[in-house]
Amino acid sequence: MVLRNSEAKEIAAALDERSGEIFRRIVETYLESGEPLGSRNLSRLLPMSLSPASVRNVMSDLEHLGLIYSPHVSAGRLPTQTGLRFFVDAFMQVGNLSAEERASIERQVRRGDRDQPVESLLTEASQMLSGMSRGAGLVITTKSDPVLKHVEFIRLAPTKALAVLVGEHDQVENRIIELPAGVTSAQLTEAANFLNAHLGGQTIAEVRAQLQKVKATVRGELDLLSQDLVERGLAIWSGSEGDEKPTRLIVRGRANLLEGLEGAEDIDRVRMLFDDLEKKDSLIELLDLAESGPGVRIFIGSENKLFSLSGSSLIVAPYRDSDDRIVGAVGVIGPTRLNYSRIVPMVDYTAQLMSRLSR
């Protein structure tokens, strides 16, 4: 549940100093240990003198407000999802990263030279976020249009072929494409040779634009089937087929999400999260989430329908290219008891660094 401003103000007005302090202690204990906090232990932690009975009365009021709940009869209290959201919005203090932490991030995510493949930079960022947060580090980016060196078509079936693209940094990408009816092996070779002759250190988009200008020449050099094959290949590689944004996701530290899980229900929840992350439409939605607001955004549990079943939290921030366009996002996924106040500035600084390195 996402709290509206009016609801948050209503809850804030209902809390006095005593109930606010009790609520804060319950949430902080949960974020630190995951354990419920009982009235007896809570009364010892408070700066004011309150009996366990008085603490229980306050806890009852907080429960009525929907901020905490009891997981078991006679157990302590845990924050609800609404309580966590209210805490993040109203109580959490986000500090700045220390100079040492900023230097550590920059050491782990750095671009040695302009020719370094973007893939390695993204992997470093994801790995760093995972290590520093103890969650899963996530980097998502709109797919770059690589400069190509070589293209090859390999027939897989009468109507399917594997298109192999080799980039200028020797990165290889494979795509399965549908073949026009009646294409022969000789025409596959002819289409590949034609593309290789026209690549000349250009991106797919540049080759495509060039071929549009010299369409008459293309028709002269290729028969209709080979021409159709070339155009299909270019459309698929440049991501122009359909409405999907071509995206790429790198997640590191998934094993961190399995730490401390005991029940089959918890393990199934995390497996469900992994399944969500593998879906193409999920990647697009993650990028849309980052684009829909400035700076760092925090989604807790079912606030984000993408992870509503797995009950995970997402802290995400966009990064931009030299034209100030959002080209990707960095973030951390983990259980709802993430250390939000520590991870928010970490994600924010990483997004700023990625923006600098993408220019």
Side-chain angles (χ1 to χ4, degrees), residues 100-119:
E100 291 79 10
E101 287 172 321
R102 288 196 297 272
S104 175
I105 291 174
E106 292 186 15
R107 273 196 309 272
Q108 295 176 71
V109 184
R110 61 190 183 280
R111 193 161 204 169
D113 58 72
R114 298 304 301 175
D115 291 331
Q116 178 188 4
V118 175
E119 183 85 15

Side-chain angles (χ1 to χ4, degrees), residues 1 3 11 23 59-69 78-84 86:
M1 161 183 180
L3 280 175
I11 292 173
F23 171 66
M59 290 165 88
S60 177
D61 293 338
L62 292 172
E63 214 165 338
H64 181 71
L65 288 170
L67 298 178
I68 62 173
Y69 74 101
L78 292 172
T80 61
Q81 183 179 302
T82 300
L84 278 176
F86 181 69

